[in-house]
Amino acid sequence: MAKNGKAIKQIAIYGKGGIGKSTTTSNLSAALADLGYKVMQFGCDPKADSTNTLRDGSYIPTVLELLRDRGSVNAHDAIFVGYNGIYCVEAGGPAPGVGCAGRGIITAVQLLKEQDIFEELDLDYVIYDVLGDVVCGGFAVPIREGIAQHVFTVSSSDFMAIYAANNLFKGIQKYSNSGGALLGGIIANSVSPESNYQRSIIDDFAARTSTQIMQYIPRSVTVTQSELSGKTTIEAAPDSAQAKVYRELARRIDEHVDSKTPTPLEPSQLRDWAAEWSDQILAIETGEVRTEAANI
Ligand SMILES: Nc1ncnc2c1ncn2[C@@H]1O[C@H](COP(=O)(O)OP(=O)(O)OP(=O)(O)O)[C@@H](O)[C@H]1O
Ligand SMILES: [Mg+2]
């Protein structure tokens, strides 16, 4: 609860490595800040590169680095102000090769909670940008420990991205009975409006796993240009079509209240689902119809 009694909305963004989590999260934070909300973006990746496009491409010291250097830390020393007043925090990671990065997330969140920072800053949103696939239990921390209420996953229509999303759904389902975060939906990134099948694939996966698509985000050179200038698209190209797409995503997330337990596919179901789509894509692209049975 923030100090005026309003609820703080805490959101975790997950997805396969390199799929566009930090780019999407930073544009989401920027768009929410432009709507007048007080936003904190909390990078939960040892690379500590979540927030740099909110701060002109600069990197900030991480909570774990500060703790290692100083022993104890005033949380304010780990909070840096970025675009339109967004509070930027990077949890950081253990020294390379030792320790658990998931514990780093717990340590960093605990530090801010112990010092009542969320209330003091009167935040409306805390958005956690969490590292890649849920290969390590540590990265389930924002779901498991009740840190976030809503999870969104960034996925393209590529199988490996969908595979990672399905694994995440398994994690959400597992902790859903013990107060874990629930799934808000999929943010479909790099889904081209011109493609005959990308949207259909991701739509079908969402339907099969009982979730929804929050927004379709095309791959855009405006994002590349903005990133090269060290900024989000919202800041660097506010009048662009791409900025409009991110603003629409922010509006939908702002209106979103009702997260749910997803129904992930079992490995054999996922394989069959992928094989069906393999056939359909071939049929769409070439007009040729081929099934697994026909290949035997
Ligand atoms: N819609 C898009 N259009 C163009 N480029 C994009 C888009 N989304 C992401 N990118 C680019 O893809 C690259 C990877 O994006 P990003 O760093 O956001 O991924 P990530 O999921 O956070 O990666 P990691 O798992 O390493 O943290 C970046 O160079 C980014 O600019
Ligand atoms: Mg990232």
Side-chain angles (χ1 to χ4, degrees):
M1 212 51 97
K3 66 178 174 223
N4 65 1
K6 72 190 172 190
I8 305 174
K9 214 166 172 182
Q10 303 209 52
I11 289 172
I13 309 279
Y14 279 87
K16 180 186 173 299
I19 201 67
K21 296 178 295 294
S22 301
T23 306
T24 309
T25 306
S26 299
N27 277 290
L28 171 63
S29 294
L32 287 170
D34 283 357
L35 285 174
Y37 290 116
K38 290 191 179 166
V39 181
M40 175 178 281
Q41 182 162 321
F42 201 112
C44 297
D45 183 331
K47 288 199 305 305
D49 62 354
S50 173
T51 58
N52 63 323
T53 54
L54 295 170
R55 294 191 25 92
D56 292 323
S58 70
Y59 290 80
I60 59 178
T62 72
V63 175
L64 289 197
E65 262 165 26
L66 292 169
L67 275 171
R68 269 198 298 275
D69 291 351
R70 303 181 188 173
S72 73
V73 171
N74 179 332
H76 287 283
D77 295 341
I79 300 172
F80 295 79
V81 177
Y83 171 75
N84 205 356
I86 297 168
Y87 298 107
C88 301
V89 179
E90 296 281 355
V98 289
C100 161
R103 276 236 61 85
I105 300 173
I106 300 183
T107 308
V109 174
Q110 267 173 358
L111 182 89
L112 268 64
K113 288 207 163 155
E114 274 161 20
Q115 299 181 24
D116 290 331
I117 292 296
F118 296 169
E119 291 76 14
E120 185 192 319
L121 297 177
D122 196 22
L123 297 178
D124 298 298
Y125 278 95
V126 183
I127 309 184
Y128 300 90
D129 172 11
V130 193
L131 170 90
D133 311 49
V134 201
V135 284
C136 151
F139 292 105
V141 160
I143 300 174
R144 201 181 60 209
E145 309 284 317
I147 291 171
Q149 302 130 1
H150 307 279
V151 178
F152 295 95
T153 181
V154 180
S155 179
S156 67
S157 61
D158 290 344
F159 182 70
M160 290 316 289
I162 286 178
Y163 181 84
N166 193 60
N167 277 343
L168 171 71
F169 295 178
K170 286 183 193 165
I172 295 172
Q173 190 184 44
K174 186 173 155 99
Y175 298 114
S176 61
N177 289 332
S178 47
L182 296 179
L183 183 67
I186 298 172
I187 301 168
N189 191 35
S190 297
V191 171
S192 161
E194 284 89 47
S195 164
N196 291 326
Y197 55 84
Q198 289 178 352
R199 211 181 248 228
S200 307
I201 290 182
I202 196 97
D203 282 350
D204 189 35
F205 175 70
R208 290 288 296 268
T209 52
S210 314
T211 187
Q212 59 178 339
I213 306 292
M214 298 304 292
Q215 178 64 308
Y216 304 92
I217 302 176
R219 205 164 173 82
S220 157
V221 70
T222 315
V223 174
T224 314
Q225 282 172 322
S226 306
E227 185 185 46
L228 289 171
S229 65
K231 294 186 191 319
T232 60
T233 300
I234 292 286
E235 182 178 9
D239 299 326
S240 62
Q242 191 76 3
K244 203 170 156 203
V245 170
Y246 287 124
R247 277 197 291 271
E248 187 63 19
L249 170 69
R251 199 186 55 73
R252 287 184 191 152
I253 287 187
D254 189 33
E255 282 172 2
H256 174 85
V257 280
D258 197 14
S259 288
K260 299 197 170 76
T261 306
T263 53
L265 299 174
E266 292 304 321
S268 66
Q269 291 175 315
L270 188 61
R271 216 205 68 77
D272 291 347
W273 177 85
E276 276 167 34
W277 269 106
S278 168
D279 288 343
Q280 287 198 40
I281 289 170
L282 195 67
I284 292 165
E285 290 292 288
T286 64
E288 178 192 352
V289 179
R290 194 169 74 180
T291 65
E292 281 193 316
N295 290 333
I296 294 170

